[in-house]
Amino acid sequence: MLDLEKIRKDFPILNQEVNGFPLIYLDNAATSQKPQVVIDALNEYYIGYNSNVHRGAHTLADKATGKFEDTRTAVKEFINASSTEEVILTKGTTEAINLVANTYGRQNIKEGDEVIISTMEHHSNIVPWQMICEEKGAKVKVMPINDNGEIIFEEFQKLISPKTKLISVVHVSNVLGTINDVEKIIEEAHRHNIPVLIDGAQSSPHFNVDVQKMDCDFYVFSSHKVYGPTGMGVLYGKKAILEEMPPFLGGGEMIKEVTFEKTTFNDLPFKFEAGTPNIGDTIALKTALDYVNEIGKDNIARHEEELLEYCTAAFQDIKRLKIIGTAKKKVSVISFLIDGIHPFDLGMMLDAKGIAIRTGHHCAQPLMNRFGIDGTARASFAVYNTKEEIDQMVESIHKIVARF
Ligand code: PMP
């Protein structure tokens, strides 16, 4: 059992009223709130040892560098990478995918080749592939899904061909909550020697991730969804692949030696980290990961599963409400529609009661098209959410439905 009272006290933002009501924050798939320890870590850096990393010959720079590299080690452990050389620090999931598209993609995708993604991708795992494929005269192919929001594995198998250069697929859908069987997809891809990128933006906050067990070639995630700061994220890549990849951005940090005639590049992971990085936020990410580890990922998963089940059951009793995304395996993300009430209006009416949900296409327009809808309302739960908060949301929705 989690000590929810204590956990909620760890997140100062939760203790406030919005529009005259206690805040009920159910937009965690967009970004999670930050515990006080993470905010403190940011403050401590700027107040105590703000300094540039990897090149300092003084005490503050040494401390900043040590703490910065401690985060890399914490990330390695968090996802069970085999070495810190495999952990590239980025601005977030989006930058990490663009990095792979612009390096691995530009190097390996040729005219006539194909990249396979799925119908339930976030725009950040669609557009970079479209851009590189357009540049190269290659094609993006799409794994279809069933009406529950699950990838149809047999159809995916049919898409694989000798032209397939990469498969990039989301671990957990930010709209449907579906947990994809990525191990099975990776196994199938590897039978054909095709590398796989896993978009972990929505899996990293919810359950334990082991990149070695999964055997993915790349795994990407964002700090701000795992209780860490924004503007910070991770690209994991298998060492052998990263070593073959050309650099992404050019500049300081990523070089070994520069002359006007020729530049040699730094070793992993620095080859992919040009310029002064996001030092403070990187340091605070370790604090966030420590916080998650302290509560325990399995405990978080169990609590969120309970919230998912509880909310799903309560939604069954709301007239005209339909859940979009009914996969067998889901995380605590629920998209829904209420017949006769536009999601945007529903969101506004809940906001008037201090209840924050998300409405719209959730950066997944092709998925909306698949379901023949423009958008959904979405409630998504994190470690600090409670059944009482779900009760409040459900009661408010009942009242709204009765009124319309
Ligand atoms: N993929 C998925 C599944 C997401 O949910 C998100 C964020 N909503 C992203 C990618 C992009 O993450 P970021 O904006 O942090 O780069």
Side-chain angles (χ1 to χ4, degrees), residues 292-304:
V292 167
N293 290 335
E294 210 173 290
I295 297 175
K297 274 211 136 179
D298 290 344
N299 294 331
I300 294 175
R302 208 172 312 119
H303 172 64
E304 290 176 348

Side-chain angles (χ1 to χ4, degrees), residues 19 336 341-359 376-378 400:
N19 298 322
F336 59 101
I341 305 176
H342 194 279
F344 182 74
D345 295 333
L346 180 70
M348 296 273 283
M349 286 184 274
L350 289 175
D351 183 52
K353 302 277 179 201
I355 303 169
I357 63 158
R358 186 79 153 192
T359 62
T376 71
R378 181 187 71 186
I400 292 165

Side-chain angles (χ1 to χ4, degrees), residues 3-19:
D3 185 350
L4 274 182
E5 210 172 307
K6 182 187 171 303
I7 289 172
R8 288 184 68 80
K9 281 199 188 122
D10 292 338
F11 292 82
I13 203 170
L14 297 177
N15 185 26
Q16 67 171 301
E17 292 195 343
V18 170
N19 298 322

Side-chain angles (χ1 to χ4, degrees), residues 29-30 91-95 97 122 124-125 170 172-174 199 201-202 222 224-225:
K91 259 175 22 193
T93 299
T94 303
E95 190 187 63
I97 298 172
H122 187 278
S124 64
N125 199 25
V170 75
V172 167
S173 162
N174 63 314
D199 172 355
Q202 298 290 344
S222 295
H224 70 95
K225 299 196 202 260

Side-chain angles (χ1 to χ4, degrees), residues 219-293:
Y219 180 86
V220 297
F221 73 97
S222 295
S223 151
H224 70 95
K225 299 196 202 260
V226 284
Y227 310 103
T230 51
M232 169 62 215
V234 171
L235 163 66
Y236 156 81
K238 281 183 182 164
K239 188 176 169 190
I241 300 185
L242 290 176
E243 275 183 333
E244 291 301 313
M245 279 159 49
F248 178 35
L249 303 175
E253 295 263 317
M254 53 78 74
I255 53 90
K256 218 168 231 164
E257 223 172 289
V258 180
T259 65
F260 284 122
E261 288 71 39
K262 187 176 163 57
T263 291
T264 52
F265 301 121
N266 208 339
D267 297 327
L268 290 176
F270 309 108
K271 180 170 91 175
F272 294 106
E273 295 180 2
T276 299
N278 187 353
I279 304 165
D281 294 313
T282 301
I283 289 171
L285 171 61
K286 175 179 187 296
T287 312
L289 299 182
D290 288 348
Y291 181 82
V292 167
N293 290 335

Side-chain angles (χ1 to χ4, degrees), residues 318-337:
I318 301 178
K319 278 188 221 132
R320 303 176 358 226
L321 186 149
K322 185 178 172 210
I323 293 175
I324 310 293
T326 49
K328 279 185 212 81
K329 286 190 167 175
K330 280 180 69 170
V331 301
S332 52
V333 171
I334 309 189
S335 271
F336 59 101
L337 287 171

